[in-house]
Amino acid sequence: ASASITICRRMSAWSQAVHILRDMAEHRVEASTITYNSAMSACEQSGQWELAMHLMSEMAGGFYLDMDTITFNAAVSACERGGEWATAVHLFGDMARRRLAADKITYQTVVSACEKGGEWELVMHLMNEMSHGVFDTREAKLV
């Protein structure tokens, strides 16, 4: 099932990815962090930021799956594509609270979301952190 969701992600077939995820739950097949990350990425690629956020909340709330940097990158990217800069920044801060390290992709995506939202002070702060090689959200003071 995970391989099928990965294929859906590559084809930007978000509805099929979510359908497979729902079928897994219905048939009591345990989904993994990787499975959810792939489904979230399919949603992100198709501009379905709200659904990506819903899947992330399922991971944390009902299924108690570990969320990793890839999980957050998929969610931040979905928010960036959806024009939801404030949610992207909130997720960035949530990574720090969970002691997850942000990577270059995280920073670039949050910067892009803030640029699109006209949040230039945040952009400058993030760019400064990036220029100093700070890719750990525990050092960020954004939220």
Side-chain angles (χ1 to χ4, degrees):
S2 291
S4 298
I5 291 176
T6 300
I7 291 168
C8 291
R9 177 186 54 82
R10 289 183 184 148
M11 297 175 55
S12 297
W14 65 271
S15 62
Q16 289 86 348
V18 172
H19 181 75
I20 292 168
L21 200 57
R22 299 294 176 241
D23 280 351
M24 289 174 68
E26 186 177 310
H27 293 93
R28 301 192 194 284
V29 175
E30 191 173 315
S32 67
T33 298
I34 294 169
T35 307
Y36 267 86
N37 288 350
S38 291
M40 287 174 59
S41 291
C43 292
E44 172 264 320
Q45 291 172 359
S46 301
Q48 301 293 321
W49 73 272
E50 291 168 312
L51 186 52
M53 294 300 297
H54 179 76
L55 293 175
M56 188 177 196
S57 70
E58 280 184 10
M59 289 177 74
F63 298 108
Y64 304 106
L65 293 171
D66 289 331
M67 292 186 281
D68 57 19
T69 301
I70 296 168
T71 306
F72 278 87
N73 284 349
V76 168
S77 185
C79 291
E80 183 265 341
R81 284 186 181 233
E84 296 294 320
W85 70 268
T87 306
V89 170
H90 176 77
L91 289 167
F92 184 78
D94 196 25
M95 288 181 77
R97 289 183 285 280
R98 293 172 182 269
R99 302 203 182 281
L100 286 173
D103 60 14
K104 189 174 182 177
I105 293 168
T106 314
Y107 274 88
Q108 289 174 336
T109 309
V110 173
V111 165
S112 177
C114 290
E115 282 177 335
K116 289 178 180 179
E119 296 297 318
W120 300 109
E121 190 173 316
L122 287 174
V123 169
M124 296 308 294
H125 178 79
L126 288 163
M127 296 296 288
N128 185 51
E129 283 189 4
M130 287 177 65
S131 71
H132 290 97
V134 179
F135 294 113
D136 185 343
T137 56
R138 287 172 273 182
E139 301 296 321
K141 308 273 189 301
L142 290 177
V143 183

